[in-house]
Amino acid sequence: MNVEVDPLIEALYYWSDVSGVLLMGIIGGTLARQRGYDIVGFFFIAMFSSLGGGMIRDVLINRGTVAAMSQPEYLYLAFAGALIARFIYFKGRTWDYIQSHGDAVVSALWAATGTVKALTYGLPLIPCVMMGVFTATGGSMIRDICMGREPAVFGDNQPTVIPAVACSAVVLVANSLDSLAWGMLVGPVASFVLTMLGIWAGWRVPARQEWAPLNDTAAQVMVLARKAEDKSRAVGRRLEPTKLRAWRHQQMEKALQRRIEKQVRAGRRRTEAASDVSDFMEAFAEDVAEMHQDPTPDAAESHGFLDGIGVDISGDSYENYDEESQQLSLDGSKVQRDMLDMILADEKLTDELVERLVKRYEERNQG
């Protein structure tokens, strides 16, 4: 892919590029002085600061010789910056101002340079943006790593990568509109403005460690699911005892109906047999109601003909049936519930239970 660049803009970029190499060499040398490095450290840190990003870009593109090696003026300028920093100690507010603003200008220009070079070799859009970002920030990352520091682009949270991405995006959009020259002018300006927002207005890239929207959403879903499950269990606990008691009474009524039929076949009048059963059921209901009013563990053993049956006729053991009460309930109550359910599930056993209850009812009335 052939990318034509206006000669004037190309010349402007070239002189800005070499000036940036010198400035970044001075910045790297100044950092080496602050860390107490010798002259070798000055040269290496200056070289990494000023040429590292371009080296990464050219190695990744893998087309020809790395520019810093084929154009020796870049190395000369980087080492010159190291020597300047070795003989002049740049410090103070004025130097901080020059360093921050000069770095912003150079990074903006290098982001555009890296993007244009990637376009020249026909790279896709995302790699073009990557080349712009690496050219602008790669040198500082290598420098910080070699100095044993966390790269500023990671931990400082000042906008450095985002302005480079913005510059690359502007250049790419302009190139798609056949206005690359405008993109090479507007892109660095946009990058510089975003960087200045971080310096002047204190804009920072958010870095909340606990922020994880998917995790938060999953946690909220889990909480809602637990609430729904607890609610459904609560509803189930309220409904289950009612159904069980209804089933129990239904089984008892069937057994009593079979008893009536048995007595009728034995020659007794149906009305008399039904009347006895009705009286029995009234007494049974009264005793069960008294057991509901007295929900003590020994209630089943203190009310009329239900005394000593050994099973939970009333269904009180199912009231407030939750995990806590289940853990606190006596083992005997569970045995009684299971025994009663087993008896009522079998017609023969249910008939025997009814016979015993009726017999006790008759004995109580006779007494």
Side-chain angles (χ1 to χ4, degrees):
M1 177 180 180
N2 294 324
V3 178
E4 296 183 0
V5 180
D6 185 90
L8 179 61
I9 295 178
E10 187 174 8
L12 177 63
Y13 261 75
Y14 174 77
W15 288 108
S16 300
D17 193 21
V18 295
S19 301
V21 171
L22 178 63
L23 176 62
M24 296 304 291
I26 295 174
I27 293 175
T30 302
L31 293 175
R33 175 187 288 275
Q34 293 173 355
R35 297 297 293 266
Y37 295 163
D38 58 19
I39 189 61
V40 176
F42 272 71
F43 283 136
F44 272 96
I45 299 302
M47 181 179 64
F48 292 147
S49 297
S50 57
L51 303 177
M55 289 180 176
I56 294 175
R57 175 201 65 210
D58 293 341
V59 169
L60 291 176
I61 293 177
N62 194 24
R63 302 288 179 86
T65 307
V66 175
M69 301 295 104
S70 61
Q71 297 175 277
E73 62 268 22
Y74 286 108
L75 281 175
Y76 299 156
L77 289 170
F79 292 152
L83 290 174
I84 292 173
R86 184 67 183 89
F87 291 102
I88 303 175
Y89 191 3
F90 296 95
K91 59 182 178 179
R93 297 184 60 181
T94 302
W95 166 247
D96 292 339
Y97 183 88
I98 295 174
Q99 176 182 345
S100 59
H101 289 68
D103 190 13
V105 173
V106 172
S107 297
L109 292 171
W110 283 355
T113 301
T115 306
V116 172
K117 191 163 187 177
L119 284 172
T120 302
Y121 289 105
L123 270 63
L125 295 181
I126 299 300
C128 286
V129 175
M130 289 179 59
M131 294 306 101
V133 172
F134 280 136
T135 306
T137 64
S140 63
M141 286 193 290
I142 296 176
R143 177 196 67 206
D144 292 341
I145 292 172
C146 290
M147 295 175 65
R149 304 191 311 181
E150 182 182 75
V153 297
F154 298 157
D156 193 35
N157 304 127
Q158 287 187 351
T160 53
V161 173
I162 292 178
V165 172
C167 177
S168 298
V170 171
V171 172
L172 291 173
V173 171
N175 181 67
S176 65
L177 299 175
D178 294 329
S179 301
L180 181 60
W182 283 104
M184 294 180 68
L185 293 175
V186 176
V189 172
S191 176
F192 178 79
V193 170
L194 290 175
T195 304
M196 288 299 99
L197 284 176
I199 297 175
W200 295 339
W203 174 47
R204 293 292 184 271
V205 179
R208 292 182 296 167
Q209 295 181 356
E210 300 299 327
W211 187 73
L214 291 181
N215 289 22
D216 294 341
T217 302
Q220 292 173 359
V221 171
M222 290 295 295
V223 170
L224 293 176
R226 290 194 186 99
K227 289 183 178 179
E229 183 180 3
D230 293 341
K231 187 175 181 180
S232 64
R233 286 180 177 176
V235 173
R237 294 187 194 108
R238 290 195 300 268
L239 295 178
E240 183 181 29
T242 303
K243 291 182 178 180
L244 286 172
R245 285 195 293 269
W247 176 76
R248 286 177 173 181
H249 285 280
Q250 184 180 16
Q251 295 297 99
M252 293 283 289
E253 290 174 356
K254 289 180 179 179
L256 290 171
Q257 188 63 37
R258 289 194 296 270
R259 188 174 190 279
I260 292 174
E261 297 298 331
K262 181 178 179 181
Q263 289 183 343
V264 170
R265 287 195 299 270
R268 192 177 183 186
R269 297 178 61 181
R270 181 178 293 275
T271 55
E272 294 179 357
S275 177
D276 290 344
V277 168
S278 177
D279 293 340
F280 164 76
M281 287 300 296
E282 289 180 3
F284 177 80
E286 290 177 0
D287 281 6
V288 169
E290 292 179 9
M291 292 176 66
H292 278 291
Q293 295 174 0
D294 183 15
T296 59
D298 298 330
E301 300 180 2
S302 59
H303 293 286
F305 64 89
L306 298 180
D307 179 29
I309 292 298
V311 293
D312 180 13
I313 297 294
S314 67
D316 276 339
S317 58
Y318 285 90
E319 293 292 340
N320 300 322
Y321 187 70
D322 53 21
E323 294 180 0
E324 182 178 359
S325 61
Q326 182 184 17
Q327 294 175 357
L328 297 176
S329 63
L330 298 175
D331 292 339
S333 298
K334 185 177 186 304
V335 172
Q336 290 179 359
R337 292 195 302 269
D338 294 342
M339 184 183 298
L340 178 61
D341 293 339
M342 182 175 61
I343 291 173
L344 295 179
D346 185 275
E347 289 187 0
K348 184 177 180 181
L349 294 177
T350 305
D351 291 342
E352 292 183 6
L353 175 62
V354 169
E355 287 295 332
R356 292 189 181 187
L357 291 174
V358 172
K359 184 177 180 180
R360 291 201 174 197
Y361 165 71
E362 292 175 349
E363 290 176 353
R364 187 185 69 173
N365 289 341
Q366 291 176 0

